[in-house]
Amino acid sequence: MRELDENSITPAVIERFANAPNARVKEVCTSLVKHLHDFVRDVRPTEEEWGFAIDFLTRTGQICDDVRQEFVLLSDTLGVSTLVDSINHPVHGDITQSTVLGPFWTAQMPDCKMGDDIHGNMKGEPAYIYGTLRSEDGTPLANAQMDVWHSDDDGFYDVQQMEKLGGPGGRGRFKTDSEGRYFFWSIKPTCYPVPTDGPVGEMLRAQGRHPMRPAHLHFIFTAAGHRRLVTHIFDPTDKYIDSDAVFGVKESLIREYKEHPPGKAPDGKVMNEPFVTITYDFVMAKEDKKAA
């Protein structure tokens, strides 16, 4: 076909996928072209606007590095990350709900022991964080891997200020104990803006949106025979709890911090200053062997 117009171009492109060796690739590409072409026909962009869109995506890739993933941030702020998460992790029973990974997780997590204080040189109110991890059948999950990371009380992660901190802070990798328990010290995080100095920040300003995330703690749990759990604990008193820039808040993930005066903490540690505690009992879903 040589005479292509705005309607005939779509089936012409899809026809080129006829010999795709992978059926799923063919399915995905066919749907992509249909929706993308329909979008273009709907908004009818000028050539200058389409050029800007290509430049936007180019700049989104160019700003990515080993500590910043702008495409993840773009996915998060457009609600796509939450949509994909919801499709792949439907809620059932008392399994802990998952939510977005966010752009500040790193594979290089400091190895820690239960009871350690991971705040490093971060500033903030001392916080004792504890709870349990169990399977959906109630079995405690011992020796499971737990990654945790969070911001300081100015809203910055360690990877955003490593030179200032001199090393990791608010970040660690643990193993649950023989009873599936976790417990450690850090500081109470606060709300913070997602990075706005790149293309995603430009997009948020154009959309008239704020870039703020409510205060939260990040967790990833990995245990044999179970689906990986990526989740948060949110602070209900945060003013952005109902307008999270990345649409990650879920009611079941909200827990209150309990304030304490100086004195003995739950682990027996004597505190000479006020501190807070927060607890959450996580439940992991068993791995679907058929799906895996």
Side-chain angles (χ1 to χ4, degrees), residues 247-258:
F247 307 97
V249 177
K250 296 180 180 179
E251 190 67 31
S252 67
L253 302 180
I254 297 173
R255 287 292 185 277
E256 290 189 8
Y257 286 86
K258 184 177 181 180

Side-chain angles (χ1 to χ4, degrees), residues 76-79 203-211 244-247:
D76 290 350
T77 53
L78 289 177
M203 179 192 74
L204 292 175
R205 288 187 290 273
Q207 294 171 341
R209 295 168 57 187
H210 73 68
D244 183 5
V246 306
F247 307 97

Side-chain angles (χ1 to χ4, degrees), residues 34-269:
K34 285 181 178 178
H35 287 286
L36 181 58
H37 286 208
D38 284 343
F39 166 76
V40 172
R41 280 187 284 265
D42 180 35
V43 301
R44 308 192 74 79
T46 64
E47 291 179 337
E48 289 77 14
E49 288 172 333
W50 190 245
F52 179 86
I54 292 173
D55 178 66
F56 175 84
L57 293 176
T58 300
R59 290 185 288 115
T60 299
Q62 289 172 337
I63 204 172
C64 295
D65 57 29
D66 58 344
V67 297
R68 177 168 179 170
Q69 232 303 346
E70 194 81 353
F71 268 112
V72 170
L73 188 59
L74 179 61
S75 174
D76 290 350
T77 53
L78 289 177
V80 179
S81 297
T82 292
L83 176 58
V84 172
D85 175 72
S86 298
I87 289 170
N88 286 276
H89 301 282
V91 178
H92 66 277
D94 59 355
I95 293 169
T96 301
Q97 289 185 285
S98 56
T99 190
V100 297
L101 175 64
F104 295 118
W105 177 81
T106 65
Q108 292 74 39
M109 286 280 185
D111 290 323
C112 304
K113 295 180 180 179
M114 286 301 171
D116 282 354
D117 189 329
I118 65 169
H119 84 279
N121 290 322
M122 281 184 164
K123 304 298 182 183
E125 184 176 12
Y128 184 66
I129 302 152
Y130 66 103
T132 61
L133 177 68
R134 61 183 175 86
S135 176
E136 59 182 302
D137 65 5
T139 305
L141 292 175
N143 204 40
Q145 180 174 294
M146 180 184 81
D147 285 6
V148 60
W149 68 106
H150 61 79
S151 72
D152 62 15
D153 66 353
D154 285 325
F156 292 103
Y157 285 79
D158 55 354
V159 294
Q160 297 174 291
Q161 50 179 339
M162 197 63 78
E163 184 174 340
K164 172 185 174 182
L165 296 177
R171 182 182 302 272
R173 176 167 290 159
F174 297 84
K175 294 286 187 179
T176 56
D177 72 6
S178 60
E179 297 178 43
R181 298 177 301 181
Y182 70 91
F183 44 93
F184 62 95
W185 283 92
S186 194
I187 57 171
K188 183 181 179 181
T190 190
C191 57
Y192 64 87
V194 299
T196 58
D197 58 339
V200 172
E202 180 183 321
M203 179 192 74
L204 292 175
R205 288 187 290 273
Q207 294 171 341
R209 295 168 57 187
H210 73 68
M212 301 301 294
R213 294 217 66 201
H216 58 277
L217 299 161
H218 288 268
F219 292 86
I220 295 180
F221 290 97
T222 308
H226 292 76
R227 290 205 313 257
R228 188 178 77 150
L229 175 61
V230 178
T231 194
H232 296 6
I233 300 176
F234 290 96
D235 181 354
T237 66
D238 194 284
K239 64 181 178 179
Y240 297 106
I241 193 69
D242 293 317
S243 60
D244 183 5
V246 306
F247 307 97
V249 177
K250 296 180 180 179
E251 190 67 31
S252 67
L253 302 180
I254 297 173
R255 287 292 185 277
E256 290 189 8
Y257 286 86
K258 184 177 181 180
E259 297 182 355
H260 302 270
K264 186 176 290 187
D267 65 345
K269 182 179 181 180

